[in-house]
Amino acid sequence: MNADRDIVGIVGSTFFFFVGATVFAMSFEMTPMAAMFPRTVGAALALLAAFYIFAALRGYRGEAVENGSTVREQAEGLGRRIVLLVTMIGWALLFPVIGMFVTSLAACIILMFTGLFERVSPGRLAIQLGAVLALVVCFYHLMNSILNIPMPRGILF
Amino acid sequence: MLKKLGVLVTVATVLWATGSALAFPDKPVNYIIPFNAGGESDISARLQQPYFNKITGEDLIIQYQAGAGGAQAWSVLNSQPGDGYTIMGTNLPHIILQPLLQKPGYETADLTNIYMFHFTPDALLVRADSKFETVQQVIDAAKETPGALTVGGTATNTANHIANQIFSNMTGAQMTYIPYTGTGATIPALLGGEVELLWGYTTVAAGQGDKVRMLAVAQDERHPLFPDVPTFKELGIDMVGGAYRGIAVPKSTPEEVRRQLSDIIGKINADPEFIKEMEQAGFAMLNIPYDGMEAFMSERQKIYEEVARQLGSLK
Amino acid sequence: MAFDLGSVLAQALSPFNLLLALLGVVLGTVIGALPGLSATMAIAVLVPFTFAMDPASGLIMLGAIYTGAIYGGAYAAILVNTPGTPSAIATTFDGFPMAKRGDGDLAMTLATLASVVGGVIGAIALMTLSPLLANIALAFQSSEYFWLAILGLTLIASLSTGNVIKGLIGGAFGLILSMIGVAVVGGDVRFTFGSSALLGGIDIVSALIGLYCIPVLIDLVARPDRHLEPAPLGRGFRFFEALGLCAKNAVNLFRSSVIGTLIGILPGAGGSIASLVSYSEARRSSRHPERFGKGEPAGLLATESANNATVGGGFIPTLVLGIPGTPPDAVILGALLVQGIRTGPELFTQQSGIVYIFMFGLLIATLMMLPVGLLIGRYAYRFIVNTPKSLLVPLIAFMTVVGSFAIHSNPHDVVVMVLMGVLGWLLSIGGFGPSPIVLGLVLGQIAEQGFIRAYMIGGARGNFGGQLLFDRPISWAIVALIVITLGLPLLRLLRGKSQNGKEARP
């Protein structure tokens, strides 16, 4: 692996190239007015991505202003990151089925432990669990009763 | 022991059921508007709100679940509890055209409408300083150079779009239909001169006062707020239509509750104060109770299917 | 004028109305600070309560909530890097880097001051120039909206100076995301892949929450170090330091407020374009454009003054033309109609002083934002800094889930939010920042519809070029700005290259 080359950038651009090409191809099934933008933007995306792949293969690598993380940095704490993502995905998919309150409480407790780095005494842990419970109860109440947003109850609550 | 419990539960259920039958509603009713706040659906619901409270003594809580031109809310209506405490606004032609033209996640038959309470008649509008004084002038100009006149309206495959298609069918006038995101966006387009004409509703004319001129309305009789504006019928164009608005309940709602709700909405609709407020805002009253719904819906279904076929072939 | 200034002032300043304005600002700020909860929602919930009140009092309260909520959007943007509303997108660019390096207290104070300045300028424009300025809403047609959206998109170039191609790729991807759903023009169902949940398109706010907030959460749990650098104790509000910065940026503040007011008048454009354009302008006219995006106070001042100026601006077409400038305006317009108040130019000339009471109320509410904002802002900053990560993570995560659900009470929005978050995180590893994608998503619909409508109307009139650009002086001006925005950095770059030879590589 050549450290000078923007490998992840190439991978990302390949993804975008296919997105652009797909959008371009799909635009031919639309009415003329609705197809105009998808065709133009899809083609532009595919061309830009192809150009970037070409440039990156020849050793170009720019530095985006708004880019804080690299692959190496992201490898740190990867386990926790994945726990967080899995929790969020599970939360989003399950709350309409099981109910907002129960899933949120469960997810918040998991995330609390995910965000816990130092050892804490049982007393402090109890306080923190209480705080999480209070948080979920308060927000649930705010949404459900005050702002009239119908929270999904699902099979549990 | 178990038996006893069973009896107790049965008794309680019966008591609860009769109790609720006697005093429905006995808690606030949620009224879901499948559009953003501020539109015609919202305003008419806001006008209903105080009368609902006056008649039942309970509050009507208005919530918004906008998305996909209403389809997002309508596709989940039947998964709501069917106890009569969740009702949802429905709109025609939306609930007929969407299932015909797209896959919106619901079918027209899935929605249990219990009352259609008003409609906003289609209206052909021009700016106050426009050269068009009558519909006939528009037809003549459109026939002279087909497609050169631009007429604005809300989005594609909507009440406005259909009105344009029907108008064109009946008169042979060809105009270019320009779709906008919502009624709000069409008004500056007309006033600013981007389009020459606008398919709108009587509510638009009511809100804009003397800045716009309405050439005709698609109603059986003239609108009380605009006694000088002719109907299309008077002009020999058989166009009656617009956006109809009603209320639906989840499928699981018992027959009796459906009737009770229908009665309540009917009572609101009969209140002279309410009628006055609605007409002041440009709405036209409509009374299709639960019993008349099937006939009304199948009649509209036929009309829209015809137009949908034409719009589909336009593609 | 047919009203008595004294009685208007006396009514607007009655203790009850002042209390309502205060209450409204506090409530609005808190709601606005929570991502997903919007001014529209807060106002819609409170509308029935105002029916029981005197119309003027009700209106003052609704206006106060609105202005507070727009201001509150800055909190989440600065402290958690999450724009709770599209109008706070540009606030994250410099607000979060400031908070990250320990200047969160200064950032909060600056945001408060800028919001008050912007709000006051917007309110004054509303009070004095409304009937005149309302014509802007009519002068802007589809082609102008198209060019305005393109002007907003040019910001991509400056946001991604180091790697413009990646920025452009992200922007094009965002544009494609904006096309998902039923097309307004043509009625086609695009890129939903048969899912009825996508018919309504990708909700911008849930995409914002996902793209910005999920990566923050992921970073939060990855490392044990603090989320934000804490400010040294006893530093206070840094009020005078902030005031000094404002004085130095007086031109910037004024320009941004005017841009905010003017763009606020355009129905459908709203706070997002206003703050993006004023950010872009502030960056272009700054002597240190390279500092933008790394915690430059001038950037924060520009966006926050612009988005609060849109509040006053948005009321102009609402009250004069009966055309709501923004969604919260639409709710307030509905409330007015139900109260039996007819909007129109007459409202300013003949009717009772109710409109003036309302406008004074709005002005007073904006001024109240200063003490209220300073206090709440300081508390919010301390809270975020001092809360242990084990509580901060569930708190923020819960807000993202509940907030994206609350927008339309729709579970699909939450799934979209999380997926956009995962996508945003993966792309940021590849060097593709979230902001170009967001710009494309926010501006895509405006650009597409503007262009296609101009195309159709031009086609009908047999003069496409004229309709799009040549016959439209306002379009000339916007296109000139686009050329300057894109051209100047290029010119600087070329000059820098010729002076420094090979050292100034992009």
Side-chain angles (χ1 to χ4, degrees), chain C residues 146-203:
Chain C
F146 167 69
W147 290 117
L148 201 60
I150 299 292
L151 179 62
L153 286 174
T154 57
L155 191 54
I156 290 174
S158 40
L159 277 180
S160 47
T161 5
N163 199 333
V164 179
I165 306 169
K166 276 188 178 172
L168 291 177
I169 290 176
F173 183 64
L175 288 175
I176 287 171
L177 290 180
S178 81
M179 294 172 198
I180 293 175
V182 180
V184 168
V185 182
D188 295 51
V189 179
R190 297 188 293 188
F191 312 122
T192 60
F193 304 100
S195 151
S196 62
L198 284 175
L199 277 179
I202 289 191
D203 183 81

Side-chain angles (χ1 to χ4, degrees), chain C residues 475-486:
Chain C
S475 288
W476 300 348
I478 305 175
V479 171
L481 276 178
I482 295 172
V483 171
I484 295 173
T485 311
L486 288 180

Side-chain angles (χ1 to χ4, degrees), chain B residues 75-296:
Chain B
S75 61
V76 297
L77 173 61
N78 283 341
S79 59
Q80 307 278 340
D83 52 5
Y85 291 101
T86 302
I87 61 179
M88 191 182 277
T90 52
N91 297 45
L92 288 180
H94 310 51
I95 56 168
I96 292 177
L97 278 184
Q98 286 177 352
L100 277 178
L101 298 169
Q102 311 152 4
K103 272 184 243 134
Y106 71 96
E107 293 296 329
T108 310
D110 290 344
L111 302 176
T112 315
N113 294 295
I114 51 139
Y115 208 99
M116 286 282 157
F117 68 99
H118 80 264
F119 83 116
T120 44
D122 290 322
L124 190 57
L125 302 144
V126 292
R127 243 187 350 265
D129 59 0
S130 162
K131 62 179 180 190
F132 297 119
E133 298 275 350
T134 64
V135 176
Q136 195 54 48
Q137 289 172 350
V138 176
I139 297 173
D140 292 343
K143 279 187 173 161
E144 206 172 296
T145 44
L149 279 183
T150 51
V151 55
T154 303
T156 309
N157 303 330
T158 53
N160 292 150
H161 194 190
I162 283 180
N164 188 52
Q165 186 62 32
I166 296 179
F167 182 75
S168 164
N169 287 348
M170 290 184 170
T171 62
Q174 290 275 335
M175 301 188 280
T176 304
Y177 177 79
I178 310 288
Y180 289 85
T181 33
T183 320
T186 60
I187 299 168
L190 178 71
L191 295 180
E194 182 166 89
V195 289
E196 279 100 7
L197 300 116
L198 181 66
W199 281 110
Y201 305 116
T202 41
T203 41
V204 174
Q208 290 302 314
D210 54 7
K211 281 183 300 225
V212 297
R213 180 164 60 237
M214 209 159 36
L215 298 181
V217 290
Q219 241 182 310
D220 277 320
E221 284 156 31
R222 293 189 177 195
H223 193 280
L225 198 61
F226 308 100
D228 300 333
V229 179
T231 64
F232 280 104
K233 266 190 170 171
E234 288 172 44
L235 303 171
I237 305 162
D238 189 21
M239 249 179 94
V240 175
Y244 298 80
R245 294 187 185 82
I247 291 173
V249 292
K251 222 176 211 159
S252 52
T253 311
E255 200 66 21
E256 196 168 320
V257 177
R258 295 182 190 182
R259 272 174 210 290
Q260 281 170 327
L261 274 168
S262 177
D263 289 347
I264 294 169
I265 308 298
K267 265 186 215 159
I268 298 176
N269 244 23
D271 193 307
E273 271 297 301
F274 178 70
I275 296 175
K276 205 181 115 204
E277 285 178 13
M278 289 286 282
E279 285 180 345
Q280 274 296 315
F283 296 104
M285 303 309 289
L286 183 72
N287 283 294
I288 316 280
Y290 181 56
D291 291 322
M293 196 54 68
E294 221 176 290
F296 174 78

Side-chain angles (χ1 to χ4, degrees), chain A residues 6 16 30-31 33-34 51-52 63 65-66 74 76 80-81 91 104 111-112 116-117 128 135 139 143, chain C residues 161-163 165-166 169 173 188 190 218-219 221-223 390 395 397-398 402 405 411 425 433 435 452 455:
Chain A
D6 184 8
F16 283 125
M30 299 171 186
T31 59
M33 288 301 145
F51 179 71
Y52 190 81
E63 213 170 287
V65 172
E66 197 197 31
Q74 291 294 330
E76 190 188 341
R80 284 177 195 261
R81 287 175 208 257
W91 194 352
S104 299
L111 291 181
M112 192 200 92
L116 208 56
F117 286 89
Q128 294 214 347
L135 166 96
F139 271 99
M143 299 285 166
Chain C
T161 5
N163 199 333
I165 306 169
K166 276 188 178 172
I169 290 176
F173 183 64
D188 295 51
R190 297 188 293 188
I218 292 175
D219 277 348
V221 294
R223 254 163 285 146
S390 51
L395 173 72
F398 190 41
V402 161
F405 175 73
W425 177 58
S435 298
I452 299 217
Y455 178 81

